[in-house]
Amino acid sequence: MTDEQVRRAADAAMLPLVASLAPAGVLEAHWLPDRGGDPVVWLLVGTEIARVQLQSTSWVLPQVQAILTRVNLPPDKVLAVRLEVTSVEAQDRLFDP
């Protein structure tokens, strides 16, 4: 699978990913490859409390991996996926003096 095909597959997974994780507070998701080309999925929640709760939930990574598998991301990429969670609250504080 080429890098472009991997990118398209990961992009295609973001909408179903948000839909399946919305009950857990996920508002948005996007994907970026790290320096080694492995996928990093960024999840956005509303508050810092929601971020901590989501990060401590054991089923989130397997859920993300299942969705990535459904869009035909190669198994080596699925197993290498890393999650990063941020919040609207934390992003708003980036520009505070």
Side-chain angles (χ1 to χ4, degrees), residues 38-93:
D38 292 326
V40 179
V41 174
W42 288 83
L43 303 175
L44 178 69
V45 296
T47 66
E48 280 297 290
I49 291 172
R51 180 189 61 79
V52 171
Q53 289 173 335
L54 190 66
Q55 286 178 320
S56 67
T57 304
S58 62
W59 56 265
V60 174
L61 179 60
Q63 178 71 11
V64 169
Q65 290 172 323
I67 291 170
L68 293 173
T69 299
R70 287 186 194 132
V71 296
N72 295 323
L73 202 67
D76 61 321
K77 297 292 183 187
V78 171
L79 292 174
V81 73
R82 191 173 83 236
L83 291 181
E84 295 290 339
V85 184
T86 189
S87 71
V88 172
E89 195 174 70
Q91 289 179 356
D92 288 346
R93 280 192 253 134

Side-chain angles (χ1 to χ4, degrees), residues 20-32:
S20 72
L21 295 176
V26 173
L27 305 171
E28 296 177 14
H30 68 274
W31 168 87
L32 292 170

